C-alpha cells in the first residue's frame, strides 16, 4: 500500500538556521498538508496546498515558513530562521479527495 | 469555528478492562467528517476510523467500536478487553466543509495506559 514518506526522521539544528523538511506524498493525491505537534500537545494544522498553491494557512504559519512542491513529487516545508519554539514533530499528510488524510511518520525537529 | 474536546487527559486501566474515550465536537457545518487516530510511543499517527455526518451508524472493528451521536455532538471510542499494546495517545479529529484543503482539527488527545 502506498505511503507518505518524510525525511529526515530527526533533524537537529541551531537556532537561527534554516531547515527544510521533506515529504513525498502518495502519487495520485491532490491535497497536501503540514501539521505540527509540540511535544505532549495536540496536533495543529499549519498549511494546506492544492493545485500548486497554498489553499489555507493557520496563524502559526507566519513569514518564517514556506512550502513548495519543487518537482511534482516532493513537498517541502522550509523554516527560514528557526527558533527554540519550533522544536516539534512535523507531519506531512496527503489525500486524494475528501477522505482520511494519510499521514507520514513525521520529522522530529530539535532546535538548540 | 470547529472545536474538538477530549475531556479525559489520561486514563489508566488494567488489561482486559473495557475503556471508553470521549470526544465532543462543535461545528456549524452540516457536512463534516470525524476521525480517530492512534499515536503510539513511536510517534506516528495511525488512522483508525472516519465517519461522515450523514452516517450515524455505530461501527465495530474487532475490539474497537465507535458511537456517533449527533444529538449530543459526540463520537466516542470504546476498546473492549484492552491490551497493553493499546497504550497510546488517542486523538479525535474533525474535518469540515467542502472547500479544497480543508484542515483537520484535533482534540487534545487522551493518553491511555493499559497495565498488565
Amino acid at each position: 500500500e502506498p505511503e507518505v514518506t518524510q525525511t529526515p526522521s530527526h533533524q537537529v539544528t541551531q537556532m537561527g538556521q534554516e531547515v527544510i523538511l521533506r515529504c513525498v506524498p502518495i502519487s495520485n493525491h491532490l491535497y497536501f498538508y503540514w501539521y505540527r505537534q509540540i511535544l505532549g500537545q495536540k496536533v495543529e494544522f499549519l498549511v494546506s496546498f492544492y493545485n500548486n498553491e497554498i489553499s489555507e494557512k493557520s496563524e502559526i504559519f507566519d513569514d518564517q515558513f514556506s512550502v513548495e512542491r519543487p518537482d511534482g513529487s516532493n513537498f517541502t516545508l522550509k523554516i527560514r530562521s528557526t527558533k527554540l519554539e519550533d522544536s516539534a514533530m512535523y507531519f506531512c499528510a496527503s489525500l486524494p479527495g475528501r477522505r482520511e488524510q494519510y499521514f507520514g511518520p513525521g520529522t522530529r525537529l530539535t532546535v538548540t | 469555528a470547529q472545536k474538538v474536546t477530549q475531556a479525559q487527559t489520561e486514563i489508566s486501566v488494567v488489561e482486559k478492562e473495557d475503556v471508553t474515550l470521549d470526544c465532543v465536537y462543535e461545528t456549524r457545518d452540516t457536512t463534516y467528517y470525524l476521525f480517530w487516530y492512534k499515536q503510539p510511543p513511536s510517534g506516528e499517527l495511525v488512522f483508525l476510523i472516519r465517519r461522515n455526518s450523514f452516517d450515524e451508524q455505530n461501527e465495530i472493528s474487532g475490539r474497537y467500536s465507535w458511537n456517533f451521536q449527533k444529538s449530543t455532538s459526540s463520537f466516542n471510542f470504546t476498546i473492549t478487553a484492552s491490551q497493553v499494546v493499546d497504550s497510546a495517545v488517542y486523538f479525535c479529529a474533525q474535518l469540515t466543509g467542502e472547500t479544497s484543503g480543508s484542515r483537520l482539527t484535533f482534540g487534545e488527545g487522551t493518553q491511555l495506559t493499559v497495565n498488565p
Side-chain angles (χ1 to χ4, degrees), chain B residues 27-63:
Chain B
T27 182
R28 291 183 184 156
D29 292 328
T30 54
T31 301
Y32 53 89
Y33 297 80
L34 299 169
F35 302 79
W36 277 95
Y37 286 88
K38 174 182 179 180
Q39 187 174 44
S42 49
E44 72 273 25
L45 288 168
V46 179
F47 166 79
L48 295 177
I49 190 171
R50 171 184 64 102
R51 302 303 276 172
N52 71 51
S53 52
F54 300 109
D55 183 2
E56 276 194 83
Q57 258 192 332
N58 292 329
E59 178 144 345
I60 298 174
S61 175
R63 295 184 298 106

Side-chain angles (χ1 to χ4, degrees), chain B residues 1-105:
Chain B
Q2 290 72 244
K3 186 178 177 184
V4 177
T5 302
Q6 295 179 255
Q8 305 148 308
T9 307
E10 294 182 28
I11 299 177
S12 183
V13 298
V14 177
E15 208 169 17
K16 296 183 185 172
E17 283 185 25
D18 299 347
V19 58
T20 296
L21 310 182
D22 297 333
C23 173
V24 174
Y25 62 92
E26 293 177 31
T27 182
R28 291 183 184 156
D29 292 328
T30 54
T31 301
Y32 53 89
Y33 297 80
L34 299 169
F35 302 79
W36 277 95
Y37 286 88
K38 174 182 179 180
Q39 187 174 44
S42 49
E44 72 273 25
L45 288 168
V46 179
F47 166 79
L48 295 177
I49 190 171
R50 171 184 64 102
R51 302 303 276 172
N52 71 51
S53 52
F54 300 109
D55 183 2
E56 276 194 83
Q57 258 192 332
N58 292 329
E59 178 144 345
I60 298 174
S61 175
R63 295 184 298 106
Y64 296 170
S65 62
W66 291 269
N67 185 332
F68 176 26
Q69 291 198 338
K70 288 175 78 169
S71 60
T72 55
S73 297
S74 65
F75 186 44
N76 296 337
F77 172 31
T78 298
I79 303 174
T80 303
S82 59
Q83 300 175 1
V84 173
V85 293
D86 295 327
S87 297
V89 180
Y90 291 85
F91 290 98
C92 181
Q94 177 180 242
L95 187 150
T96 58
E98 291 295 331
T99 58
S100 59
S102 296
R103 64 172 78 179
L104 273 175
T105 300

Side-chain angles (χ1 to χ4, degrees), chain A residues 31 33 35 37 48 56 98, chain B residues 39 95 97 101-104:
Chain A
Y31 304 87
Y33 301 79
Y35 289 82
Q37 185 184 29
S48 59
E56 189 180 0
R98 297 204 49 77
Chain B
Q39 187 174 44
L95 187 150
S102 296
R103 64 172 78 179
L104 273 175

Side-chain angles (χ1 to χ4, degrees), chain A residues 8-15 17 19 21 39 79 82-90 107-112:
Chain A
S9 56
H10 190 192
Q11 171 98 42
V12 181
T13 190
Q14 288 192 327
M15 198 167 52
Q17 295 296 305
V19 294
L21 309 183
L39 186 64
I79 310 175
T82 49
K83 309 184 191 83
L84 293 176
E85 54 265 36
D86 293 327
S87 294
M89 181 78 98
Y90 289 82
T107 293
R108 182 167 298 284
L109 176 65
T110 303
V111 183
T112 61

Side-chain angles (χ1 to χ4, degrees), chain A residues 38-105:
Chain A
I38 294 171
L39 186 64
Q41 298 186 20
K42 68 178 178 181
V43 180
E44 300 174 292
F45 169 80
L46 287 177
V47 64
S48 59
F49 193 84
Y50 171 71
N51 204 23
N52 285 321
E53 59 183 25
I54 291 173
S55 48
E56 189 180 0
K57 58 184 180 180
S58 72
E59 54 281 359
I60 303 168
F61 194 88
D62 61 21
D63 292 344
Q64 292 298 313
F65 292 89
S66 62
V67 289
E68 219 177 27
R69 196 148 188 254
D71 55 14
S73 60
N74 291 286
F75 179 50
T76 61
L77 173 69
K78 183 193 291 185
I79 310 175
R80 288 191 184 83
S81 178
T82 49
K83 309 184 191 83
L84 293 176
E85 54 265 36
D86 293 327
S87 294
M89 181 78 98
Y90 289 82
F91 291 102
C92 173
S94 70
L95 72 161
R98 297 204 49 77
R99 291 186 172 82
E100 63 271 15
Q101 296 188 353
Y102 293 77
F103 282 88

